Amino acid sequence: MEELHEALEIAVLDVLDGSPPGPLFASRVKRECGDVLRKRGLQGTIEVTQGGTHVRVLVKRGRRVETVVVTVG
């Protein structure tokens, strides 16, 4: 799970371009996190709040659901 957390952090950092937090930035963060999950063959739910500064990813692993949280800033 640590590897996934790092990959999500890197994906979010790649989106940082000086844009202010807001709906557009949040949608870009969500798209990038979704790409990370798909590349690993994982399914999950991505919640982006506070204009993109807080990302919570729920990943289903068998019967369990793992939570990964990434905070921007």
Side-chain angles (χ1 to χ4, degrees):
M1 193 54 79
E2 186 65 32
E3 184 179 309
L4 177 59
H5 188 268
E6 287 180 25
L8 289 168
E9 282 184 336
I10 290 168
V12 171
L13 289 175
D14 286 346
V15 176
L16 293 177
D17 62 358
S19 299
L24 181 59
F25 180 73
S27 68
R28 289 172 44 209
V29 168
K30 188 173 184 176
R31 184 179 60 242
E32 290 296 320
C33 290
D35 289 347
V36 168
L37 293 181
R38 279 187 291 284
K39 287 178 184 173
R40 286 170 170 67
L42 298 172
Q43 292 183 349
T45 302
I46 303 164
E47 300 171 357
V48 181
T49 59
Q50 299 172 8
T53 60
H54 186 78
V55 183
R56 184 171 153 218
V57 181
L58 303 172
V59 180
K60 188 171 183 181
R61 293 198 161 198
R63 293 181 154 200
R64 295 179 9 193
V65 174
E66 305 270 347
T67 302
V68 180
V69 176
V70 178
T71 303
V72 180

